[in-house]
Amino acid sequence: MIVLQNASRWYGQVIGLNDVTCQIGAGITALLGQNGAGKSTLMRLVTGQLKPTTGEVTVFGLRPFANIEVYRLLGYCPEIDNFYESMTGREFVVYLARLGGYGPTEARRRADRVLETVGMADRCDKRIAGYSKGMRQRIKLAQAMVHDPRVILLDEPLNGLDPVGRREYMDLLAALVDQGVAVLVSSHILYEVEQMTRSILLLHRGRLLATGDLRVIRSLIDKHPHRIRIESQEPRRVAEQLVRLPYVLSMQFDFAGGAIELECKEPERFYDELPSLVVENDLPVSGFSSPDNNLESVFRYLVGG
Amino acid sequence: MFGFLFVDALRDNLRFRRLWPWLLLAGFCFLVAFFWREWGFRPRPDRVYSLVSLTLVFKVLALASAIYSTSVIGREVEQRTIVYLLTRPVPRWMIILSRFLASSIVVTLIGVLSVIGVSLAAYRGEAFANEMLWRDMGALAVGAFAYGALFVLISLMVNRAMLVCLLYTFGWELLVPNLKGDAAALSVFNYLEAIANHPEVSQRRNLLTFLSGQLAGESVTPMGAFMTMAIAVAILAFAACWWFSNFEYLPRDDAA
């Protein structure tokens, strides 16, 4: 759906995006990176607000800059928290639906539908100026959905949402994906992104650092051992068995917490072999987890932080 | 779509919050003409009308045009709402053209209101028998579109458009129409003055003649001036549409 081919974007002497090549398809894809990594630049290139300095960006095979054919297929929820403040939420969504080419009746019908979907039906007749941050995020999503786009781009959409709101928002995105909509979400809140998708694009200083499934990316980083925490009432006994495994590099005991934290270089193999090891040796393992199984650590490893 | 954009822009421009300063200025023009007619020096109605119209109303027109035209896109950029406009399936030229037309119509209304007020103050009950009034209305309409097209283009091309437009309005437009030679051809007011076709406000060369742009004397016929302005408006409006369709517009903070 979205293809970037050696796309670069310079702002004068500053590089926003550096030679990025990737494809974004169905499902939810997360665009990750710290502030200034180039997430918003990539979003603006895809939404045709910017032109690439070099390379090419296409959406459904079309160049997006000022291309109304692309805008029919694309919904965009910007990061900015700015609106036509004097409007009510409903007026705002209806206005943008009208700009989508719908007549007044159809625009109102569509606005009502999406406002219901994002949970703003009962509050949409108040002025936007009086909205909370969470309500603003919902209204922004509503305007992005109002013309039934095939791709929705969301720039930092979870900012300002309370935990319940975030859960609802994520459910909403999952429902959109079920309807066949491709969703690209940019965020630096890694924990939340992790709950939405495992398909990521990782940007750092304008460069695409990694792309694909989070677990695959994680397994490729073999120069950084994977940390695994195993909880047990008899950590010494468990350690005795685990230390024999050739890919286990080191171990640390946490007697107070009743756990061992080990470093291993082939986590997939370890996870495959652990159950049989526990059963065959009757090991008292009450649980295991990996502090490295999150995007934060993947990001940290990849950027050498 | 064009109709929706145009009506929406017109409604926005006609909101009382945006209009009241101009109504006050129109009232100010009326008061100046009224007091001059009552207690001023040589208060002949045609002289009072002509001077107030040329020195004040046409400047109000240019100022209103500068404010309205630079906000056609500038306000969206400042408010950072332009992103909503530019990611909708609306041709960019249509946004510019509809908003330019709407703002020019409102500026024309402001000018016409002001000049009617001045005519009422100068001629009292015979305000509408004043022939200059009707020519002025035409000149004001042409001026609103000409200034509008020029200022919209400037606002799309430069960052501090308001400053440039104000310098043009109160610097260039005050000075250049009074210059002899071809330089006056670069002043919109020079053409508007030719369309308005007022008699000379004074036989002597003084500050009032300077302010009313009549130092150099007329050099263009009314029809020539009208045709020149019509062509200029078409070219400038086309240039503005082309520019907006081909260049990037980001919210102010993001572009920095």
Side-chain angles (χ1 to χ4, degrees), chain A residues 9 44 49-51 71 76 80 82 84 95-96 98-99 143, chain B residues 1 4-5 8 76 79-80 83-84 86 88 90 246-248 254:
Chain A
R9 169 67 200 200
R44 286 179 185 142
Q49 296 173 73
L50 293 176
K51 294 177 190 173
Y71 297 138
Y76 179 48
I80 55 158
N82 298 62
Y84 304 104
Y95 175 68
L96 292 174
R98 294 293 318 269
L99 287 180
Q143 65 79 27
Chain B
M1 176 58 73
F4 168 69
L5 288 168
D8 178 67
E76 301 270 4
Q79 291 177 350
R80 310 181 80 203
V83 62
Y84 297 114
L86 298 188
R88 294 283 147 182
V90 187
N246 286 282
F247 287 87
E248 297 165 351
D254 299 346

PDB file of all heavy atoms in Angstrom, chain A residues 9 44 49-51 71 76 80 82 84 95-96 98-99 143, chain B residues 1 4-5 8 76 79-80 83-84 86 88 90 246-248 254:
ATOM      1  N   ARG A   9      14.667  13.167   3.127  1.00  0.00           N
ATOM      2  CA  ARG A   9      14.081  14.501   3.203  1.00  0.00           C
ATOM      3  C   ARG A   9      15.002  15.384   4.043  1.00  0.00           C
ATOM      4  O   ARG A   9      15.309  15.049   5.189  1.00  0.00           O
ATOM      5  CB  ARG A   9      12.691  14.426   3.838  1.00  0.00           C
ATOM      6  CG  ARG A   9      12.101  15.768   4.193  1.00  0.00           C
ATOM      7  CD  ARG A   9      11.777  16.605   2.975  1.00  0.00           C
ATOM      8  NE  ARG A   9      11.666  18.005   3.349  1.00  0.00           N
ATOM      9  CZ  ARG A   9      11.031  18.921   2.637  1.00  0.00           C
ATOM     10  NH1 ARG A   9      10.477  18.600   1.492  1.00  0.00           N
ATOM     11  NH2 ARG A   9      10.997  20.160   3.041  1.00  0.00           N
ATOM     12  N   ARG A  44       4.488  12.798   7.130  1.00  0.00           N
ATOM     13  CA  ARG A  44       4.176  13.928   6.233  1.00  0.00           C
ATOM     14  C   ARG A  44       4.511  13.612   4.776  1.00  0.00           C
ATOM     15  O   ARG A  44       3.859  14.118   3.874  1.00  0.00           O
ATOM     16  CB  ARG A  44       4.932  15.169   6.687  1.00  0.00           C
ATOM     17  CG  ARG A  44       4.330  15.755   7.930  1.00  0.00           C
ATOM     18  CD  ARG A  44       5.095  16.953   8.384  1.00  0.00           C
ATOM     19  NE  ARG A  44       4.556  17.413   9.650  1.00  0.00           N
ATOM     20  CZ  ARG A  44       5.275  17.892  10.635  1.00  0.00           C
ATOM     21  NH1 ARG A  44       6.573  17.996  10.514  1.00  0.00           N
ATOM     22  NH2 ARG A  44       4.701  18.291  11.740  1.00  0.00           N
ATOM     23  N   GLN A  49       2.193  15.974   2.541  1.00  0.00           N
ATOM     24  CA  GLN A  49       2.407  17.358   2.973  1.00  0.00           C
ATOM     25  C   GLN A  49       3.799  17.811   2.577  1.00  0.00           C
ATOM     26  O   GLN A  49       4.053  19.002   2.439  1.00  0.00           O
ATOM     27  CB  GLN A  49       2.265  17.462   4.486  1.00  0.00           C
ATOM     28  CG  GLN A  49       0.869  17.128   4.987  1.00  0.00           C
ATOM     29  CD  GLN A  49       0.878  17.100   6.500  1.00  0.00           C
ATOM     30  OE1 GLN A  49       0.956  18.128   7.149  1.00  0.00           O
ATOM     31  NE2 GLN A  49       0.798  15.925   7.082  1.00  0.00           N
ATOM     32  N   LEU A  50       4.694  16.837   2.446  1.00  0.00           N
ATOM     33  CA  LEU A  50       6.071  17.115   2.042  1.00  0.00           C
ATOM     34  C   LEU A  50       6.398  16.282   0.815  1.00  0.00           C
ATOM     35  O   LEU A  50       5.805  15.235   0.593  1.00  0.00           O
ATOM     36  CB  LEU A  50       7.038  16.728   3.163  1.00  0.00           C
ATOM     37  CG  LEU A  50       7.013  17.504   4.471  1.00  0.00           C
ATOM     38  CD1 LEU A  50       7.991  16.866   5.454  1.00  0.00           C
ATOM     39  CD2 LEU A  50       7.376  18.960   4.247  1.00  0.00           C
ATOM     40  N   LYS A  51       7.394  16.777   0.065  1.00  0.00           N
ATOM     41  CA  LYS A  51       7.923  15.982  -1.044  1.00  0.00           C
ATOM     42  C   LYS A  51       9.273  15.434  -0.610  1.00  0.00           C
ATOM     43  O   LYS A  51      10.022  16.134   0.079  1.00  0.00           O
ATOM     44  CB  LYS A  51       8.150  16.874  -2.261  1.00  0.00           C
ATOM     45  CG  LYS A  51       6.910  17.458  -2.881  1.00  0.00           C
ATOM     46  CD  LYS A  51       7.347  18.360  -4.027  1.00  0.00           C
ATOM     47  CE  LYS A  51       6.193  19.173  -4.562  1.00  0.00           C
ATOM     48  NZ  LYS A  51       6.602  20.163  -5.558  1.00  0.00           N
ATOM     49  N   TYR A  71      -5.702  11.201  -1.168  1.00  0.00           N
ATOM     50  CA  TYR A  71      -6.414  11.662   0.033  1.00  0.00           C
ATOM     51  C   TYR A  71      -7.787  11.011   0.201  1.00  0.00           C
ATOM     52  O   TYR A  71      -8.334  10.983   1.288  1.00  0.00           O
ATOM     53  CB  TYR A  71      -6.536  13.191   0.038  1.00  0.00           C
ATOM     54  CG  TYR A  71      -5.190  13.876   0.099  1.00  0.00           C
ATOM     55  CD1 TYR A  71      -4.917  14.988  -0.684  1.00  0.00           C
ATOM     56  CD2 TYR A  71      -4.181  13.388   0.919  1.00  0.00           C
ATOM     57  CE1 TYR A  71      -3.676  15.595  -0.642  1.00  0.00           C
ATOM     58  CE2 TYR A  71      -2.934  13.981   0.953  1.00  0.00           C
ATOM     59  CZ  TYR A  71      -2.690  15.084   0.181  1.00  0.00           C
ATOM     60  OH  TYR A  71      -1.452  15.684   0.224  1.00  0.00           O
ATOM     61  N   TYR A  76      -5.800  10.801   8.055  1.00  0.00           N
ATOM     62  CA  TYR A  76      -4.612  11.237   8.806  1.00  0.00           C
ATOM     63  C   TYR A  76      -5.023  11.899  10.115  1.00  0.00           C
ATOM     64  O   TYR A  76      -5.845  12.805  10.135  1.00  0.00           O
ATOM     65  CB  TYR A  76      -3.802  12.211   7.948  1.00  0.00           C
ATOM     66  CG  TYR A  76      -2.557  12.734   8.632  1.00  0.00           C
ATOM     67  CD1 TYR A  76      -1.667  11.883   9.270  1.00  0.00           C
ATOM     68  CD2 TYR A  76      -2.252  14.095   8.598  1.00  0.00           C
ATOM     69  CE1 TYR A  76      -0.520  12.365   9.878  1.00  0.00           C
ATOM     70  CE2 TYR A  76      -1.103  14.586   9.199  1.00  0.00           C
ATOM     71  CZ  TYR A  76      -0.242  13.714   9.835  1.00  0.00           C
ATOM     72  OH  TYR A  76       0.893  14.189  10.443  1.00  0.00           O
ATOM     73  N   ILE A  80      -0.518  17.222  16.114  1.00  0.00           N
ATOM     74  CA  ILE A  80      -0.843  18.546  16.660  1.00  0.00           C
ATOM     75  C   ILE A  80      -2.183  18.530  17.399  1.00  0.00           C
ATOM     76  O   ILE A  80      -3.085  17.769  17.059  1.00  0.00           O
ATOM     77  CB  ILE A  80      -0.918  19.616  15.550  1.00  0.00           C
ATOM     78  CG1 ILE A  80      -1.915  19.208  14.463  1.00  0.00           C
ATOM     79  CG2 ILE A  80       0.447  19.918  14.985  1.00  0.00           C
ATOM     80  CD1 ILE A  80      -2.426  20.353  13.673  1.00  0.00           C
ATOM     81  N   ASN A  82      -4.235  21.049  17.574  1.00  0.00           N
ATOM     82  CA  ASN A  82      -4.895  22.288  17.144  1.00  0.00           C
ATOM     83  C   ASN A  82      -6.140  21.967  16.327  1.00  0.00           C
ATOM     84  O   ASN A  82      -6.140  21.051  15.515  1.00  0.00           O
ATOM     85  CB  ASN A  82      -3.940  23.125  16.309  1.00  0.00           C
ATOM     86  CG  ASN A  82      -2.727  23.533  17.093  1.00  0.00           C
ATOM     87  OD1 ASN A  82      -1.971  22.689  17.539  1.00  0.00           O
ATOM     88  ND2 ASN A  82      -2.551  24.811  17.293  1.00  0.00           N
ATOM     89  N   TYR A  84     -10.140  23.932  14.897  1.00  0.00           N
ATOM     90  CA  TYR A  84     -10.931  25.162  14.776  1.00  0.00           C
ATOM     91  C   TYR A  84     -11.721  25.248  16.086  1.00  0.00           C
ATOM     92  O   TYR A  84     -12.794  24.665  16.209  1.00  0.00           O
ATOM     93  CB  TYR A  84     -11.849  25.083  13.565  1.00  0.00           C
ATOM     94  CG  TYR A  84     -11.095  24.813  12.277  1.00  0.00           C
ATOM     95  CD1 TYR A  84     -11.111  23.566  11.683  1.00  0.00           C
ATOM     96  CD2 TYR A  84     -10.353  25.812  11.672  1.00  0.00           C
ATOM     97  CE1 TYR A  84     -10.405  23.309  10.517  1.00  0.00           C
ATOM     98  CE2 TYR A  84      -9.637  25.571  10.507  1.00  0.00           C
ATOM     99  CZ  TYR A  84      -9.677  24.319   9.937  1.00  0.00           C
ATOM    100  OH  TYR A  84      -8.970  24.067   8.788  1.00  0.00           O
ATOM    101  N   TYR A  95     -17.492  19.296   8.977  1.00  0.00           N
ATOM    102  CA  TYR A  95     -16.742  20.198   8.084  1.00  0.00           C
ATOM    103  C   TYR A  95     -15.700  19.416   7.276  1.00  0.00           C
ATOM    104  O   TYR A  95     -15.598  19.569   6.056  1.00  0.00           O
ATOM    105  CB  TYR A  95     -16.067  21.279   8.927  1.00  0.00           C
ATOM    106  CG  TYR A  95     -15.166  22.203   8.142  1.00  0.00           C
ATOM    107  CD1 TYR A  95     -15.681  23.098   7.210  1.00  0.00           C
ATOM    108  CD2 TYR A  95     -13.785  22.192   8.334  1.00  0.00           C
ATOM    109  CE1 TYR A  95     -14.855  23.952   6.492  1.00  0.00           C
ATOM    110  CE2 TYR A  95     -12.947  23.034   7.620  1.00  0.00           C
ATOM    111  CZ  TYR A  95     -13.483  23.912   6.711  1.00  0.00           C
ATOM    112  OH  TYR A  95     -12.654  24.747   5.998  1.00  0.00           O
ATOM    113  N   LEU A  96     -14.963  18.545   7.965  1.00  0.00           N
ATOM    114  CA  LEU A  96     -13.935  17.794   7.259  1.00  0.00           C
ATOM    115  C   LEU A  96     -14.547  16.723   6.359  1.00  0.00           C
ATOM    116  O   LEU A  96     -13.961  16.379   5.328  1.00  0.00           O
ATOM    117  CB  LEU A  96     -12.938  17.197   8.258  1.00  0.00           C
ATOM    118  CG  LEU A  96     -12.096  18.284   8.938  1.00  0.00           C
ATOM    119  CD1 LEU A  96     -11.221  17.710  10.028  1.00  0.00           C
ATOM    120  CD2 LEU A  96     -11.232  19.023   7.940  1.00  0.00           C
ATOM    121  N   ARG A  98     -17.319  17.286   4.737  1.00  0.00           N
ATOM    122  CA  ARG A  98     -17.708  18.100   3.569  1.00  0.00           C
ATOM    123  C   ARG A  98     -16.488  18.314   2.667  1.00  0.00           C
ATOM    124  O   ARG A  98     -16.602  18.277   1.448  1.00  0.00           O
ATOM    125  CB  ARG A  98     -18.252  19.474   4.000  1.00  0.00           C
ATOM    126  CG  ARG A  98     -19.546  19.478   4.772  1.00  0.00           C
ATOM    127  CD  ARG A  98     -20.776  19.036   3.991  1.00  0.00           C
ATOM    128  NE  ARG A  98     -20.902  19.540   2.635  1.00  0.00           N
ATOM    129  CZ  ARG A  98     -21.529  20.654   2.278  1.00  0.00           C
ATOM    130  NH1 ARG A  98     -22.136  21.384   3.197  1.00  0.00           N
ATOM    131  NH2 ARG A  98     -21.607  21.015   1.020  1.00  0.00           N
ATOM    132  N   LEU A  99     -15.322  18.552   3.308  1.00  0.00           N
ATOM    133  CA  LEU A  99     -14.098  18.713   2.515  1.00  0.00           C
ATOM    134  C   LEU A  99     -13.716  17.404   1.820  1.00  0.00           C
ATOM    135  O   LEU A  99     -12.965  17.403   0.855  1.00  0.00           O
ATOM    136  CB  LEU A  99     -12.931  19.175   3.397  1.00  0.00           C
ATOM    137  CG  LEU A  99     -12.962  20.625   3.883  1.00  0.00           C
ATOM    138  CD1 LEU A  99     -11.738  20.918   4.731  1.00  0.00           C
ATOM    139  CD2 LEU A  99     -13.017  21.598   2.714  1.00  0.00           C
ATOM    140  N   GLN A 143     -12.323  12.346  12.638  1.00  0.00           N
ATOM    141  CA  GLN A 143     -12.167  13.039  11.352  1.00  0.00           C
ATOM    142  C   GLN A 143     -11.326  12.212  10.373  1.00  0.00           C
ATOM    143  O   GLN A 143     -11.510  12.314   9.169  1.00  0.00           O
ATOM    144  CB  GLN A 143     -11.625  14.458  11.542  1.00  0.00           C
ATOM    145  CG  GLN A 143     -10.213  14.606  12.106  1.00  0.00           C
ATOM    146  CD  GLN A 143      -9.106  14.383  11.096  1.00  0.00           C
ATOM    147  OE1 GLN A 143      -9.310  14.601   9.899  1.00  0.00           O
ATOM    148  NE2 GLN A 143      -7.964  13.926  11.568  1.00  0.00           N
TER     149      GLN A 143
ATOM    150  N   MET B   1     -18.128  21.419  -4.509  1.00  0.00           N
ATOM    151  CA  MET B   1     -17.058  21.635  -3.533  1.00  0.00           C
ATOM    152  C   MET B   1     -16.628  23.108  -3.492  1.00  0.00           C
ATOM    153  O   MET B   1     -16.422  23.675  -2.416  1.00  0.00           O
ATOM    154  CB  MET B   1     -15.858  20.745  -3.899  1.00  0.00           C
ATOM    155  CG  MET B   1     -14.645  20.937  -3.014  1.00  0.00           C
ATOM    156  SD  MET B   1     -14.945  20.654  -1.271  1.00  0.00           S
ATOM    157  CE  MET B   1     -15.094  18.873  -1.226  1.00  0.00           C
ATOM    158  N   PHE B   4     -19.107  25.124  -1.553  1.00  0.00           N
ATOM    159  CA  PHE B   4     -18.998  24.922  -0.100  1.00  0.00           C
ATOM    160  C   PHE B   4     -17.830  25.721   0.470  1.00  0.00           C
ATOM    161  O   PHE B   4     -17.955  26.414   1.484  1.00  0.00           O
ATOM    162  CB  PHE B   4     -18.826  23.434   0.203  1.00  0.00           C
ATOM    163  CG  PHE B   4     -18.428  23.165   1.629  1.00  0.00           C
ATOM    164  CD1 PHE B   4     -19.316  23.399   2.669  1.00  0.00           C
ATOM    165  CD2 PHE B   4     -17.154  22.717   1.936  1.00  0.00           C
ATOM    166  CE1 PHE B   4     -18.944  23.175   3.989  1.00  0.00           C
ATOM    167  CE2 PHE B   4     -16.778  22.492   3.246  1.00  0.00           C
ATOM    168  CZ  PHE B   4     -17.671  22.726   4.278  1.00  0.00           C
ATOM    169  N   LEU B   5     -16.682  25.628  -0.215  1.00  0.00           N
ATOM    170  CA  LEU B   5     -15.492  26.339   0.264  1.00  0.00           C
ATOM    171  C   LEU B   5     -15.728  27.849   0.257  1.00  0.00           C
ATOM    172  O   LEU B   5     -15.359  28.558   1.198  1.00  0.00           O
ATOM    173  CB  LEU B   5     -14.288  26.006  -0.629  1.00  0.00           C
ATOM    174  CG  LEU B   5     -13.713  24.600  -0.483  1.00  0.00           C
ATOM    175  CD1 LEU B   5     -12.737  24.310  -1.614  1.00  0.00           C
ATOM    176  CD2 LEU B   5     -13.013  24.445   0.852  1.00  0.00           C
ATOM    177  N   ASP B   8     -18.307  28.858   2.964  1.00  0.00           N
ATOM    178  CA  ASP B   8     -17.690  28.716   4.283  1.00  0.00           C
ATOM    179  C   ASP B   8     -16.724  29.873   4.561  1.00  0.00           C
ATOM    180  O   ASP B   8     -16.729  30.450   5.652  1.00  0.00           O
ATOM    181  CB  ASP B   8     -16.943  27.370   4.335  1.00  0.00           C
ATOM    182  CG  ASP B   8     -16.236  27.168   5.660  1.00  0.00           C
ATOM    183  OD1 ASP B   8     -16.938  27.025   6.671  1.00  0.00           O
ATOM    184  OD2 ASP B   8     -14.991  27.182   5.681  1.00  0.00           O
ATOM    185  N   GLU B  76      -4.398  29.647   8.881  1.00  0.00           N
ATOM    186  CA  GLU B  76      -4.364  28.179   9.032  1.00  0.00           C
ATOM    187  C   GLU B  76      -2.955  27.710   9.398  1.00  0.00           C
ATOM    188  O   GLU B  76      -2.796  26.773  10.184  1.00  0.00           O
ATOM    189  CB  GLU B  76      -4.797  27.492   7.729  1.00  0.00           C
ATOM    190  CG  GLU B  76      -6.178  27.853   7.251  1.00  0.00           C
ATOM    191  CD  GLU B  76      -7.247  26.924   7.803  1.00  0.00           C
ATOM    192  OE1 GLU B  76      -6.923  26.043   8.608  1.00  0.00           O
ATOM    193  OE2 GLU B  76      -8.415  27.110   7.421  1.00  0.00           O
ATOM    194  N   GLN B  79      -2.387  28.811  13.057  1.00  0.00           N
ATOM    195  CA  GLN B  79      -3.181  27.980  13.980  1.00  0.00           C
ATOM    196  C   GLN B  79      -2.820  26.506  13.869  1.00  0.00           C
ATOM    197  O   GLN B  79      -3.308  25.685  14.621  1.00  0.00           O
ATOM    198  CB  GLN B  79      -4.675  28.119  13.681  1.00  0.00           C
ATOM    199  CG  GLN B  79      -5.247  29.466  14.004  1.00  0.00           C
ATOM    200  CD  GLN B  79      -6.728  29.557  13.600  1.00  0.00           C
ATOM    201  OE1 GLN B  79      -7.249  28.671  12.922  1.00  0.00           O
ATOM    202  NE2 GLN B  79      -7.382  30.619  13.995  1.00  0.00           N
ATOM    203  N   ARG B  80      -2.010  26.190  12.896  1.00  0.00           N
ATOM    204  CA  ARG B  80      -1.541  24.824  12.640  1.00  0.00           C
ATOM    205  C   ARG B  80      -2.681  23.894  12.210  1.00  0.00           C
ATOM    206  O   ARG B  80      -2.569  22.680  12.317  1.00  0.00           O
ATOM    207  CB  ARG B  80      -0.825  24.258  13.878  1.00  0.00           C
ATOM    208  CG  ARG B  80       0.221  25.200  14.429  1.00  0.00           C
ATOM    209  CD  ARG B  80       0.937  24.644  15.617  1.00  0.00           C
ATOM    210  NE  ARG B  80       1.971  23.721  15.197  1.00  0.00           N
ATOM    211  CZ  ARG B  80       2.456  22.761  15.990  1.00  0.00           C
ATOM    212  NH1 ARG B  80       1.991  22.599  17.193  1.00  0.00           N
ATOM    213  NH2 ARG B  80       3.398  21.964  15.560  1.00  0.00           N
ATOM    214  N   VAL B  83      -2.969  21.454   8.251  1.00  0.00           N
ATOM    215  CA  VAL B  83      -2.790  20.025   7.977  1.00  0.00           C
ATOM    216  C   VAL B  83      -4.131  19.355   7.641  1.00  0.00           C
ATOM    217  O   VAL B  83      -4.204  18.458   6.799  1.00  0.00           O
ATOM    218  CB  VAL B  83      -2.091  19.349   9.172  1.00  0.00           C
ATOM    219  CG1 VAL B  83      -2.885  19.435  10.424  1.00  0.00           C
ATOM    220  CG2 VAL B  83      -1.795  17.903   8.864  1.00  0.00           C
ATOM    221  N   TYR B  84      -5.208  19.804   8.266  1.00  0.00           N
ATOM    222  CA  TYR B  84      -6.524  19.213   7.974  1.00  0.00           C
ATOM    223  C   TYR B  84      -6.963  19.553   6.550  1.00  0.00           C
ATOM    224  O   TYR B  84      -7.570  18.740   5.870  1.00  0.00           O
ATOM    225  CB  TYR B  84      -7.575  19.720   8.962  1.00  0.00           C
ATOM    226  CG  TYR B  84      -7.293  19.313  10.383  1.00  0.00           C
ATOM    227  CD1 TYR B  84      -6.986  20.264  11.349  1.00  0.00           C
ATOM    228  CD2 TYR B  84      -7.309  17.979  10.775  1.00  0.00           C
ATOM    229  CE1 TYR B  84      -6.712  19.899  12.658  1.00  0.00           C
ATOM    230  CE2 TYR B  84      -7.038  17.595  12.073  1.00  0.00           C
ATOM    231  CZ  TYR B  84      -6.742  18.559  13.019  1.00  0.00           C
ATOM    232  OH  TYR B  84      -6.462  18.188  14.305  1.00  0.00           O
ATOM    233  N   LEU B  86      -4.955  20.293   3.990  1.00  0.00           N
ATOM    234  CA  LEU B  86      -4.083  19.766   2.941  1.00  0.00           C
ATOM    235  C   LEU B  86      -4.100  18.252   2.836  1.00  0.00           C
ATOM    236  O   LEU B  86      -3.453  17.690   1.957  1.00  0.00           O
ATOM    237  CB  LEU B  86      -2.643  20.254   3.164  1.00  0.00           C
ATOM    238  CG  LEU B  86      -2.451  21.765   3.104  1.00  0.00           C
ATOM    239  CD1 LEU B  86      -0.978  22.121   3.150  1.00  0.00           C
ATOM    240  CD2 LEU B  86      -3.079  22.345   1.845  1.00  0.00           C
ATOM    241  N   ARG B  88      -7.027  16.559   2.660  1.00  0.00           N
ATOM    242  CA  ARG B  88      -8.394  16.233   2.202  1.00  0.00           C
ATOM    243  C   ARG B  88      -8.415  16.220   0.683  1.00  0.00           C
ATOM    244  O   ARG B  88      -7.619  16.932   0.051  1.00  0.00           O
ATOM    245  CB  ARG B  88      -9.380  17.308   2.694  1.00  0.00           C
ATOM    246  CG  ARG B  88      -9.537  17.345   4.180  1.00  0.00           C
ATOM    247  CD  ARG B  88     -10.421  16.212   4.661  1.00  0.00           C
ATOM    248  NE  ARG B  88      -9.970  15.775   5.974  1.00  0.00           N
ATOM    249  CZ  ARG B  88     -10.508  14.769   6.648  1.00  0.00           C
ATOM    250  NH1 ARG B  88     -11.506  14.084   6.142  1.00  0.00           N
ATOM    251  NH2 ARG B  88     -10.042  14.422   7.817  1.00  0.00           N
ATOM    252  N   VAL B  90      -9.305  17.779  -1.731  1.00  0.00           N
ATOM    253  CA  VAL B  90      -9.731  19.051  -2.324  1.00  0.00           C
ATOM    254  C   VAL B  90      -8.547  19.610  -3.104  1.00  0.00           C
ATOM    255  O   VAL B  90      -7.453  19.721  -2.540  1.00  0.00           O
ATOM    256  CB  VAL B  90     -10.089  20.086  -1.229  1.00  0.00           C
ATOM    257  CG1 VAL B  90     -10.680  21.333  -1.842  1.00  0.00           C
ATOM    258  CG2 VAL B  90     -11.006  19.491  -0.200  1.00  0.00           C
ATOM    259  N   ASN B 246       1.969  23.710  -5.688  1.00  0.00           N
ATOM    260  CA  ASN B 246       3.267  23.096  -5.952  1.00  0.00           C
ATOM    261  C   ASN B 246       4.276  23.210  -4.816  1.00  0.00           C
ATOM    262  O   ASN B 246       5.339  22.614  -4.896  1.00  0.00           O
ATOM    263  CB  ASN B 246       3.868  23.691  -7.227  1.00  0.00           C
ATOM    264  CG  ASN B 246       3.165  23.155  -8.454  1.00  0.00           C
ATOM    265  OD1 ASN B 246       3.408  22.043  -8.884  1.00  0.00           O
ATOM    266  ND2 ASN B 246       2.238  23.936  -8.982  1.00  0.00           N
ATOM    267  N   PHE B 247       3.942  23.977  -3.810  1.00  0.00           N
ATOM    268  CA  PHE B 247       4.899  24.134  -2.716  1.00  0.00           C
ATOM    269  C   PHE B 247       4.323  23.595  -1.416  1.00  0.00           C
ATOM    270  O   PHE B 247       3.115  23.420  -1.285  1.00  0.00           O
ATOM    271  CB  PHE B 247       5.320  25.600  -2.572  1.00  0.00           C
ATOM    272  CG  PHE B 247       6.228  26.035  -3.688  1.00  0.00           C
ATOM    273  CD1 PHE B 247       5.698  26.509  -4.881  1.00  0.00           C
ATOM    274  CD2 PHE B 247       7.604  25.929  -3.573  1.00  0.00           C
ATOM    275  CE1 PHE B 247       6.523  26.882  -5.933  1.00  0.00           C
ATOM    276  CE2 PHE B 247       8.436  26.294  -4.623  1.00  0.00           C
ATOM    277  CZ  PHE B 247       7.894  26.774  -5.806  1.00  0.00           C
ATOM    278  N   GLU B 248       5.251  23.357  -0.483  1.00  0.00           N
ATOM    279  CA  GLU B 248       4.850  22.738   0.782  1.00  0.00           C
ATOM    280  C   GLU B 248       4.390  23.780   1.782  1.00  0.00           C
ATOM    281  O   GLU B 248       4.973  24.854   1.865  1.00  0.00           O
ATOM    282  CB  GLU B 248       6.039  21.983   1.375  1.00  0.00           C
ATOM    283  CG  GLU B 248       6.496  20.834   0.494  1.00  0.00           C
ATOM    284  CD  GLU B 248       7.873  20.331   0.895  1.00  0.00           C
ATOM    285  OE1 GLU B 248       8.524  20.984   1.732  1.00  0.00           O
ATOM    286  OE2 GLU B 248       8.288  19.300   0.353  1.00  0.00           O
ATOM    287  N   ASP B 254       6.448  23.754  12.873  1.00  0.00           N
ATOM    288  CA  ASP B 254       7.049  22.568  12.279  1.00  0.00           C
ATOM    289  C   ASP B 254       7.983  22.925  11.139  1.00  0.00           C
ATOM    290  O   ASP B 254       8.902  22.190  10.834  1.00  0.00           O
ATOM    291  CB  ASP B 254       5.962  21.633  11.739  1.00  0.00           C
ATOM    292  CG  ASP B 254       5.055  21.186  12.853  1.00  0.00           C
ATOM    293  OD1 ASP B 254       5.434  21.384  14.015  1.00  0.00           O
ATOM    294  OD2 ASP B 254       3.985  20.653  12.553  1.00  0.00           O
TER     295      ASP B 254
END
